[in-house]
Every structure is written in C-alpha cells, then in structure tokens.
C-alpha cells in the first residue's frame, strides 16, 4: 500500500509522477535528454546504466522496467541480466564495463567514484561527456529508486506489464504525452 494516495492504475514511478505533475515535468525532461537525447552511447547502453543502478538499489519496479527497456532496445534478453549478475563477464565493451562500474559506485555514493575509475573509462575510450552522463544517469535513477521505494509505490509482479511499459518508454520516450499509459492495462 503506498504511503500517499497514488493512482493504483499507475504503478511504480508512473503514479508518483502523475501525483505531482509540476515536479514531474523537469525530472521527465532530464530523463528524456539523458536516455533518449543525442549521445555517443546507444539508448540501450543508457538503459543498462539505469538498470544496474536500480538493481543495486534493490528497486524492483525500476529494475524490471529498465531491464525490459534495455532488452527491447538491445534486441535480446541476455545482456541486461548478465550486467546485473556478473558485470565483468557481461557481453558489453570494455568502455561500457568501465562506465557501468562508475554507475555502480555512484549508486552507493558519489564519493565512491575514484580517479582510477575515470582513468580506466577514458583509457577504454570513454569521453568526458559519457562519464558525465553516466554519473548523472546513475544519480537520477537513484532518485527514482528512492521515490518508488520511499513512497511504497505499487510494484507489479507480472513481467508482461514491464514489457508493455518498455514499449511505451522506447516508443514515446520519457516526456509526458496524452494517454501515455493507456497501453499498460492488460
């Protein structure tokens, strides 16, 4: 049961964003820029950052939602799963592993990011902008995770729900739109 009155038809972050649209808009805009805007990282790679942070924060809703989005964007279901369980053996580039290590550090505390981590990322080809965006995505998803869990938002257990949500996130991005979540209902 959520701690505040949230629309039960909009589980997870969807109901929280719907609860206070004036605070949701800038968060949605930032999320859209970071995950769907121009970047040298693919949308799938950026969803992997959201996934590993949400997994580390044990936020079941966000982990399931962004795993499903990463799977859809990557066109397969193995990579996100391995990234969560065994990053060092995940089928991603050395650069992406270095960025995901930075994201995991931020998920715990920004102070956990070290100069060695950023040097490794740079030696693997990461740009300053990619490092910046990785840290910002990790910080932003830590905020989302804390909102979802701190307000005890409803978390569906049906994987089909997250597949429907992933289709919305991939097709519409993160900005508000009319009837945005109409496709969530089974």
């Amino acid at each position: 049961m959520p701690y505040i009155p949230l629309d039960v038809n909009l589980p997870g972050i969807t109901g929280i964003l719907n609860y206070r649209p004036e605070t949701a808009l800038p968060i949605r805009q930032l999320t859209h820029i970071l995950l769907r805007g121009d970047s040298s990282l693919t949308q799938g790679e950026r969803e992997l950052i959201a996934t590993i942070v949400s997994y580390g924060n044990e936020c079941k809703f966000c982990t399931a939602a962004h795993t499903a989005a990463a799977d859809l964007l990557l066109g397969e279901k193995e990579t996100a799963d391995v990234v969560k369980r065994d990053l060092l053996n995940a089928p991603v580039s050395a650069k992406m592993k270095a960025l995901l290590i930075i994201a995991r550090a931020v998920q715990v505390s920004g102070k956990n990011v070290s100069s060695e981590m950023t040097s490794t990322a740079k030696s693997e080809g990461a740009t300053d902008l990619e490092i910046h965006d990785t840290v910002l995505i990790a910080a932003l998803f830590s905020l989302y995770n804390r909102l979802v869990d701190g307000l005890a938002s409803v978390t569906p257990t049906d994987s089909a729900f997250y597949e429907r949500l992933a289709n919305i996130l991939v097709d519409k991005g993160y900005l508000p739109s009319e009837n945005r979540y109409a496709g969530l209902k089974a």
Side-chain angles (χ1 to χ4, degrees):
M1 238 5 239
Y3 299 138
I4 62 174
L6 299 173
D7 184 339
V8 294
N9 295 313
L10 296 174
I13 197 66
T14 60
I16 294 167
L17 294 174
N18 190 60
Y19 178 80
R20 192 159 181 209
E22 66 274 18
T23 60
L25 181 60
I27 295 170
R28 284 180 178 276
Q29 290 170 328
L30 179 58
T31 306
H32 191 79
I33 290 166
L34 290 170
L35 272 68
R36 295 295 177 268
D38 292 336
S39 176
S40 51
L41 297 174
T42 69
Q43 291 181 20
E45 289 171 332
R46 290 176 277 166
E47 287 287 351
L48 287 175
I49 296 168
T51 298
I52 200 167
V53 169
S54 298
Y55 181 77
N57 283 325
E58 300 178 6
C59 181
K60 291 179 181 175
F61 179 88
C62 295
T63 300
H66 296 285
T67 297
D71 290 348
L72 186 60
L73 288 161
L74 297 172
E76 44 87 3
K77 294 186 176 199
E78 176 187 344
T79 301
D81 188 51
V82 178
V83 160
K84 291 182 291 191
R85 291 183 296 102
D86 186 12
L87 175 57
L88 296 181
N89 291 308
V92 296
S93 69
K95 175 179 91 171
M96 198 63 214
K97 285 178 188 174
L99 291 172
L100 290 167
I101 288 168
I102 291 170
R104 279 197 317 203
V106 171
Q107 169 255 311
V108 175
S109 169
K111 292 180 180 182
N112 284 5
V113 178
S114 68
S115 60
E116 292 83 12
M117 289 176 188
T118 58
S119 292
T120 298
K122 288 178 181 183
S123 73
E124 295 297 348
T127 66
D128 290 342
L129 184 59
E130 289 170 339
I131 293 169
H132 170 276
D133 287 359
T134 296
V135 170
L136 188 49
I137 292 167
L140 179 62
F141 276 86
S142 289
L143 172 126
Y144 275 131
N145 303 155
R146 284 157 179 78
L147 277 169
V148 168
D149 291 338
L151 293 172
S153 184
V154 173
T155 300
T157 56
D158 178 20
S159 62
F161 168 85
Y162 295 101
E163 290 171 11
R164 291 190 302 273
L165 179 56
N167 279 301
I168 292 168
L169 296 176
V170 170
D171 292 343
K172 296 184 177 184
Y174 289 90
L175 297 175
S177 59
E178 193 171 333
N179 297 319
R180 175 174 183 77
Y181 297 115
L184 283 182
K185 297 176 183 168

